[in-house]
C-alpha cells in the first residue's frame, strides 16, 4: 500500500499516515481464525496525538471500543515487524506544550496470541530522537533448539513517574504525587516449537519516595522504597 492515511472521525484531521506498507500474509490465516502475517514493513510512519483541554485524546474513541464488555478477543500473529523513517507529534493543549519524536526506527520479532510458528529474522531494536535527545538500543538473539529467544534490556534510571502517569488515557481514582523509577529488566520474545509465542518480562524494578493520594488529595499510600 502506498501513501495511506487514517483521519479522526470528528475533526477529520490526520491521525496516522505512512508512505509505504508491506504485509506478507500466510494462507493458513483462514484456518487459524485470525491474520497471520509473516512480515510487516512500514515506511514513513507519522502519528499525531493530541491531549485536549478536557484531558481526553484524539484516540479516546478507540480505547472506549476496546473496553466494551463481552468483546470477542482478536486473534493475530504479527511477525518480523519493521518500522523505519517514522515520526510522532504529541500536542499537550492543557499545558500548551508539545513533544516530537523523529528518526523513529523500530524492529519487533513478533507480537502474537496464536500458536503458530513463523521464521523470525528480525532482531528487536529501537532508535529515535525524542525532543532532540537521541535514543538507541538493540536486542540480542539466543537460539537454542527447539526455541528461539530474542532479548532486549530495559534499563532506566531515576524517571519521574508523576510526569508520565498523568498522560495515561484512562480515568484513575488516585493521584501519584512522587515516585522515581529505576529498572534493570529484560524483555524476552520466546518462540518454542509447538507452543504459542510468548513475551516475558523479568528482572528488577525499584521505586523511591512513592506517595499516592486519593481524588480529594488525602494521603493514601506512602513508601520510602519499593522493590
Amino acid at each position: 500500500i502506498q501513501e495511506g492515511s487514517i483521519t479522526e472521525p470528528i475533526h477529520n484531521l490526520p491521525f496516522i499516515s505512512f508512505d509505504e506498507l508491506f504485509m506478507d500474509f500466510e494462507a493458513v490465516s483462514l484456518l487459524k481464525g485470525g491474520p497471520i502475517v509473516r512480515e510487516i514493513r512500514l515506511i514513513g510512519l507519522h502519528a499525531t496525538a493530541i491531549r485536549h483541554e478536557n484531558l481526553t485524546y484524539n484516540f479516546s474513541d478507540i480505547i472506549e471500543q476496546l473496553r466494551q464488555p463481552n468483546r470477542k478477543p482478536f486473534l493475530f500473529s504479527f511477525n518480523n515487524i519493521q518500522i523505519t523513517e517514522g515520526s510522532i507529534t504529541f500536542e499537550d493543549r492543557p499545558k500548551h506544550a508539545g513533544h516530537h519524536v523523529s528518526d523513529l526506527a523500530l524492529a519487533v520479532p513478533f507480537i502474537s496470541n496464536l500458536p503458530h510458528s513463523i521464521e523470525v529474522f528480525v532482531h528487536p531494536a529501537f532508535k529515535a530522537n525524542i525532543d532532540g535527545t537521541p535514543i538507541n538500543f538493540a536486542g540480542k538473539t539466543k537460539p537454542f533448539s527447539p526455541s528461539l529467544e530474542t532479548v532486549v534490556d530495559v534499563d532506566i534510571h531515576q524517571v519521574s513517574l508523576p510526569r508520565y502517569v498523568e498522560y495515561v488515557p484512562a480515568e484513575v481514582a488516585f493521584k501519584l504525587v512522587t515516585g522515581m523509577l529505576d529498572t534493570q529488566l529484560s524483555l524476552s520474545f520466546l518462540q518454542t516449537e509447538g507452543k504459542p509465542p510468548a513475551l516475558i518480562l523479568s528482572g528488577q524494578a525499584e521505586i523511591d519516595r512513592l506517595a499516592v493520594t486519593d481524588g480529594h488529595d488525602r494521603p493514601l499510600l506512602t513508601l520510602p522504597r519499593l522493590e
Side-chain angles (χ1 to χ4, degrees), residues 150-206:
T150 53
V151 181
V152 176
D153 293 329
V154 184
D155 297 336
I156 59 178
H157 179 64
Q158 291 295 289
V159 171
S160 177
L161 292 178
R163 178 182 179 184
Y164 297 98
V165 169
E166 67 174 297
Y167 289 123
V168 174
E171 186 176 352
V172 294
F174 64 88
K175 180 180 179 182
L176 188 60
V177 181
T178 60
M180 304 297 291
L181 175 67
D182 287 90
T183 70
Q184 301 86 41
L185 300 171
S186 292
L187 179 63
S188 300
F189 299 79
L190 182 62
Q191 190 175 40
T192 303
E193 186 176 346
K195 296 182 179 180
L199 291 175
I200 302 172
L201 187 65
S202 61
Q204 182 172 330
E206 305 166 0

